[in-house]
Amino acid sequence: MWHKDLRELIDTLEKKGKLIRVKKEINKDTELMPLVRWQFRGLPEKERKAFLFENVVDSKGRKYDAKVGVALIGASREVYAIALMCKVEEIREKWVKALENPIEPQIVGSGPVKEEIHVGGKLEEHGGLEEFPIPISTPGFDPAPFITAPYWVTKDPETGIRNVGTYRAMVKGRTKTGVLAALAQHIGIHLQKCKAAGKPLEAALVIGGPPVVGMTSVAKIPYGVDEFSVASALAGEPIPLVKCETVDLEVPAYAEIVLEGEITTDYVEPEGPFGEFPGYIGRPTLSPIFKIKCITHRKNPIYQAFISQMPPSESSKLRGIAYEVLLYRHLKHYCNITGLLDVAFHEPAGSHFYCVIQLRVTHPAEAWQALTSALSLAPALPKYVIAVDDDINPRDPDAVNWALATRVMPHRDIRIITGRISWLDPSAAPQTVGEAEATFPAVEGTSALIINATRKWPYPPTALPAKEYMERALQIWKELGLPELAPREPWYGYNLGYWSDEFKEAAELAVKGEYYKIAEIYAQRVRKGEEKQSEKTPS
Amino acid sequence: MWHKDLRELIDTLEKKGKLIRVKKEINKDTELMPLVRWQFRGLPEKERKAFLFENVVDSKGRKYDAKVGVALIGASREVYAIALMCKVEEIREKWVKALENPIEPQIVGSGPVKEEIHVGGKLEEHGGLEEFPIPISTPGFDPAPFITAPYWVTKDPETGIRNVGTYRAMVKGRTKTGVLAALAQHIGIHLQKCKAAGKPLEAALVIGGPPVVGMTSVAKIPYGVDEFSVASALAGEPIPLVKCETVDLEVPAYAEIVLEGEITTDYVEPEGPFGEFPGYIGRPTLSPIFKIKCITHRKNPIYQAFISQMPPSESSKLRGIAYEVLLYRHLKHYCNITGLLDVAFHEPAGSHFYCVIQLRVTHPAEAWQALTSALSLAPALPKYVIAVDDDINPRDPDAVNWALATRVMPHRDIRIITGRISWLDPSAAPQTVGEAEATFPAVEGTSALIINATRKWPYPPTALPAKEYMERALQIWKELGLPELAPREPWYGYNLGYWSDEFKEAAELAVKGEYYKIAEIYAQRVRKGEEKQSEKTPS
């Protein structure tokens, strides 16, 4: 079971009350993204929904046939699970299984994406990119609309192995976009190989299509693995692809829009600036140009955009879930962290910098092994890694701060690791330095902080009433008609290893009103001539 | 204008919709505190209210004339402000002014607290402490009811200067309680001086009374300053005190209950364990005994209890506000941190360990001066100090984590400071070691982490639409009838020093739909034969 295109997904979202359909006329250049932005700045995650704009205009008063869908797959973890047709708690297992067992996609003769084909003279006649209402993401700062949810399909010119990745594309003309990709990214490797061979890189830019393609396109899947095969594994069957018209590439048959063309390897032009995931406007770059030769699309296409920039956003949700899966798999399957329970990248910190690892520690070394191993998947992230126990919710910043407060002694439990690299991190170096220096400032690069916030020895119980009393009080709370609760863990007291039978018995007597009995026992332990001190330890 | 007793405060709270009056029969030993606990584990701070229980019984079926008030002054910052008769944003200034300009309290002939006087044979006859429904705070763990909101009044036996402080008191009999006070605490100094002189310490334990007395009793006001004089300054006029019946001490005339007696200095007895503010059950101690000789109280008294233990709680709210005031005053007035804007102790971390200092940095050294100075007020707190810029909400853990993510490079901006001491911090040492070692583990003690999370150079704008677009979108949001928003800062893009006129103009053209003009300028800056790189810096 999978959503084979965006239209099926939109139906499902609407049925589940997770779609906001906007019929009012909305300006894509000034109003559309700011409106969706509000839900990410003003609503809790569980209330966030997908948006479908049905009546889009631009600042020149132009109307569009196409609708615009934003936050369709990444409005929240729940929307993501709906798109993936599973429960929230099943996302990770489904992903790990797909990574371990990719399925070859299937080439089919044709598909809806071929309903309209604009090539040669027809391309300009239909307006090229102007046919689609591409929104401005950060009005007031962005110098153009950018395509924010492109799935760039390219092939390694030597091996022929496909890559699908999401790299921002600045709209520069009817048949021209920029493409921002670091040389170390997978499309960058293809570009370098083509440049060495003295030829441009063929590319197809896919917009819309099966949700599983979007999920894999934004994930850091190892080089040489075809994202369509992981997407097929997430779908549970081969996803149908069709051949492009003008380039030797395949694209999803149920995509909404496909742009076919070539990326230059012999020159670059200015591109950007553009709002980026750390929450600041990213610096402009000199980047290659994508020259569009052909556009194919469904009738009345849905133009899909991710909302990115300041976290939390759709883009940080999508990347975050994928990072969590990849790091979980790395630690559990390849680094042998058997006590690993969960990996949480905090979204307000861009789903990149701040990572909490939840463990059931079986040996003191395990937390440190997990912390150092968490830096071994990639040199650029995370910047903070915090190991917490199984009773700390790794996604709750207040719970993590409580663990930092009471389970960490800084000089013993915190280490700084240098020699790291940084992408788009404005704290690495001033904006005025070159890209190489900003990525790895001489001589020791950037750094990470690793924190062992697990308990180092048995702790006394948490200072809350025992479960039975909290449960009884919850009944009374409801009987009194008091406001609805959103309980935060921990909400009852539990033993963390340091508690004696004597204490237990004393507490049982106390709730029966028999506390004088305890006071009598205590009175027999009087210490004459002594001052205030700790009592002996429990047995 | 001030609330001269709890009854006036309860009227005000009820008028402002901040009081929950519980008429249902509630068991003080098993139900009362767990019920109030739920609002601290399950409701956002602004929804928290004060509780008044009018029909209290105990586990033996006994009924009480007294009502029980919980979270009357510290349910939330708003309730605190109501109790102090000011706005939330005026709390700090009111406190600083009171600390700078204490007012002598006034001794009056009598007051409502003398409505009932039980002394000598009458004391046992009236049941002693059993007259009052003292709740069990942490049923399932506490070995007895503890008095959690005592204002202990004692005098320095040499200087005669009064001290008022809150130290937990375990109920041990009808006329007997424990008293937990570290030797370094102010009452501890009095105890040591009396011990040296071979006599017990006279004490009056006040329950209920003017809210300003509670606020000052829990604050760490310097030794030698009479808390009643700071309370009077908070009230704006001398608060009336009456003389005790059996000890040479004065107590608020409008107190609900006063216990008079002596604290032993020649022996100690076991006391505790009890849930403590870091969120764990605190270890038992050997502590002195308070022998009650006389009880005076109002008719139908209101027994006031603070809810403490796991943060957030009333006790962490009360202590936190006082710490914030004292540290703000210290940094601003005595350490010359002119750019200081706010000091925030995070309540979920116990209002003790995790402190964020908001600054408008005028020189790079200022953040470091603030960070090191923040450790100079007390050796035991805070454990984490984080300096943030003026655009970071210091009370929002997600905003602080965003600053940690993007404004800190660990090896440059983080330092560990040893030689600190710890109170009730289970990460300092195993529970099995003695109190001295747990407080200052050999040889370097405990430690603090200081983090400079301010920007070290000009940053590009935040990646959000400019203010005008977000404001327009907010109108549309409301027109569409979308859910009510609770906006989180930042909610619009603003320049952080690194932005050029060219970028500004480009963005203005873009929202008018004239983005091809920018693309044309960019196309003239083509670089042949080059690869992807950063663009030149803006002028």
Side-chain angles (χ1 to χ4, degrees), chain B residues 319-332:
Chain B
R319 277 185 301 102
I321 289 175
Y323 281 150
E324 287 171 4
V325 167
L326 289 165
L327 188 54
Y328 177 88
R329 174 182 177 233
H330 178 69
L331 293 175
K332 189 101 175 182

Side-chain angles (χ1 to χ4, degrees), chain B residues 211-230:
Chain B
V212 287
V213 172
M215 291 170 184
T216 50
S217 180
V218 299
K220 295 283 177 207
I221 293 172
Y223 189 75
V225 177
D226 174 11
E227 278 80 3
F228 284 147
S229 69
V230 180

Side-chain angles (χ1 to χ4, degrees), chain A residues 38 41 59 266 272 278-281 286 383-384 402 404-405 407-408 411 447 461 463 470 488 511 522 529 532-533, chain B residues 38 41 59 266 272 278-281 286 383-384 402 404-405 408 411 435 447 461 463 470 488 511 522 529 533:
Chain A
W38 271 115
R41 294 317 291 168
S59 282
D266 54 344
Y280 304 93
I281 306 291
L286 287 162
K383 188 169 178 176
Y384 296 85
W402 179 55
L404 291 179
R407 301 183 185 187
V408 172
H411 67 294
S447 51
M470 288 302 282
R488 275 203 151 169
V511 290
Y522 280 10
K532 188 255 167 191
Q533 58 194 277
Chain B
W38 270 115
R41 294 316 292 167
S59 283
D266 55 344
Y280 303 93
I281 306 290
L286 287 164
K383 189 169 177 176
Y384 297 85
W402 179 55
L404 291 179
V408 172
H411 66 294
E435 191 173 339
S447 51
M470 288 301 282
R488 273 201 153 171
V511 290
Y522 279 11
Q533 57 194 276

Side-chain angles (χ1 to χ4, degrees), chain A residues 107-432:
Chain A
I107 313 282
V108 298
S110 189
V113 71
K114 303 292 191 184
E115 284 170 4
E116 297 275 344
I117 301 177
H118 310 319
V119 68
K122 295 259 166 117
L123 181 55
E124 284 278 346
E125 208 172 279
H126 280 88
L129 284 176
E130 286 183 11
E131 219 182 327
F132 313 112
I134 308 175
I136 294 184
S137 293
T138 323
F141 296 99
D142 290 349
F146 283 66
I147 301 172
T148 57
Y151 314 143
W152 290 94
V153 183
T154 56
K155 278 184 183 163
D156 184 309
E158 291 167 7
T159 66
I161 297 175
R162 249 191 318 260
N163 185 72
V164 186
T166 294
Y167 317 100
R168 79 184 188 205
M170 177 179 174
V171 175
K172 293 188 162 190
R174 291 176 160 193
T175 57
K176 176 181 177 181
T177 80
V179 48
L180 178 77
L183 297 178
Q185 286 177 304
H186 296 173
I187 198 173
I189 298 169
H190 296 183
L191 281 166
Q192 287 185 77
K193 287 186 177 182
C194 284
K195 182 184 165 81
K199 61 180 186 184
L201 175 65
E202 287 194 333
L205 188 162
V206 177
I207 297 167
V212 288
V213 171
M215 291 170 185
T216 50
S217 180
V218 300
K220 296 280 177 209
I221 292 172
Y223 189 74
V225 176
D226 176 10
E227 278 79 3
F228 284 147
S229 69
V230 180
S232 297
L234 283 176
E237 62 183 39
I239 60 170
L241 304 180
V242 291
K243 287 193 175 294
C244 286
E245 302 298 308
T246 62
V247 288
D248 179 26
L249 292 166
E250 302 78 32
V251 292
Y254 287 87
E256 295 291 329
I257 302 164
V258 171
L259 318 177
E260 302 177 5
E262 287 175 354
I263 302 176
T264 63
T265 57
D266 54 344
Y267 69 90
V268 290
E269 282 184 13
E271 177 278 343
F274 184 66
E276 276 292 350
F277 74 88
Y280 304 93
I281 306 291
R283 54 168 70 195
T285 64
L286 287 162
S287 286
I289 294 298
F290 178 52
K291 295 177 179 171
I292 301 167
K293 295 193 290 187
C294 173
I295 295 178
T296 72
H297 66 84
R298 297 179 75 160
K299 286 192 190 299
N300 302 309
I302 296 164
Y303 177 84
Q304 184 183 12
F306 293 152
I307 182 162
S308 179
Q309 302 84 43
M310 172 67 75
S313 72
E314 180 176 27
S315 130
S316 57
K317 178 59 62 193
L318 296 173
R319 278 184 301 100
I321 289 175
Y323 281 149
E324 286 171 3
V325 167
L326 288 164
L327 187 53
Y328 177 88
R329 174 182 177 235
H330 177 70
L331 293 175
K332 188 101 175 182
H333 293 204
Y334 303 130
C335 301
N336 202 27
I337 311 296
T338 52
L340 184 71
L341 298 173
D342 204 358
V343 172
F345 277 87
H346 282 219
E347 211 185 341
S351 296
H352 178 100
F353 298 100
Y354 194 96
C355 174
V356 183
I357 292 175
Q358 191 193 40
L359 295 166
R360 191 171 295 122
V361 176
T362 48
H363 186 276
E366 194 160 17
W368 285 111
Q369 192 193 344
L371 288 166
T372 51
S373 300
L375 301 180
S376 70
L377 184 63
L381 80 163
K383 188 169 178 176
Y384 296 85
V385 194
I386 300 166
V388 298
D389 294 304
D390 57 357
D391 67 325
I392 301 293
N393 178 349
R395 298 178 194 284
D396 177 352
D398 284 330
V400 174
N401 282 349
W402 179 55
L404 291 179
T406 61
R407 301 183 185 187
V408 172
M409 196 45 69
H411 67 294
R412 184 188 64 213
D413 299 327
I414 297 182
R415 293 293 179 270
I416 291 167
I417 310 291
T418 55
R420 308 281 294 169
I421 64 176
S422 291
W423 298 115
L424 296 167
D425 179 349
S427 71
Q431 296 284 305
T432 45

Side-chain angles (χ1 to χ4, degrees), chain B residues 270-506:
Chain B
E271 177 278 343
F274 185 65
E276 275 292 349
F277 74 88
Y280 303 93
I281 306 290
R283 56 168 71 196
T285 64
L286 287 164
S287 287
I289 294 298
F290 178 52
K291 295 178 180 171
I292 300 167
K293 295 193 290 185
C294 171
I295 295 178
T296 71
H297 67 84
R298 296 178 75 159
K299 285 190 190 301
N300 302 308
I302 297 163
Y303 177 84
Q304 183 182 12
F306 294 153
I307 181 163
S308 180
Q309 301 85 42
M310 170 68 74
S313 72
E314 180 176 26
S315 130
S316 57
K317 177 59 63 194
L318 296 173
R319 277 185 301 102
I321 289 175
Y323 281 150
E324 287 171 4
V325 167
L326 289 165
L327 188 54
Y328 177 88
R329 174 182 177 233
H330 178 69
L331 293 175
K332 189 101 175 182
H333 293 205
Y334 303 128
C335 301
N336 202 27
I337 310 296
T338 53
L340 184 71
L341 298 173
D342 205 358
V343 172
F345 277 86
H346 280 221
E347 211 185 342
S351 296
H352 178 99
F353 298 101
Y354 194 95
C355 174
V356 183
I357 291 175
Q358 190 192 41
L359 296 166
R360 191 170 294 121
V361 175
T362 49
H363 186 277
E366 194 161 16
W368 284 111
Q369 191 193 344
L371 288 166
T372 51
S373 299
L375 301 180
S376 69
L377 184 63
L381 81 163
K383 189 169 177 176
Y384 297 85
V385 194
I386 300 167
V388 298
D389 294 305
D390 57 357
D391 67 326
I392 300 293
N393 178 350
R395 297 178 195 284
D396 177 352
D398 283 331
V400 174
N401 282 350
W402 179 55
L404 291 179
T406 62
R407 303 184 184 185
V408 172
M409 195 46 68
H411 66 294
R412 185 188 62 212
D413 299 327
I414 297 182
R415 293 293 179 272
I416 291 168
I417 310 292
T418 54
R420 309 282 293 169
I421 65 177
S422 291
W423 297 115
L424 295 167
D425 179 347
S427 71
Q431 296 283 306
T432 44
V433 310
E435 191 173 339
E437 174 72 8
T439 303
F440 193 88
V443 294
E444 47 183 352
T446 61
S447 51
L449 193 77
I450 58 178
I451 305 180
N452 181 355
T454 63
R455 301 182 305 272
K456 312 305 177 306
W457 39 66
Y459 267 41
T462 47
L464 289 163
K467 196 172 183 184
E468 62 193 285
Y469 305 105
M470 288 301 282
E471 284 173 342
R472 166 72 186 133
L474 186 57
Q475 280 179 355
I476 301 173
W477 183 277
K478 288 174 182 168
E479 283 165 29
L480 293 173
L482 294 174
E484 201 183 338
L485 296 166
R488 273 201 153 171
E489 290 174 345
W491 55 264
Y492 62 89
Y494 47 87
N495 184 8
L496 290 168
Y498 190 80
W499 200 239
S500 71
D501 286 345
E502 183 183 317
F503 288 158
K504 217 169 159 183
E505 286 156 25

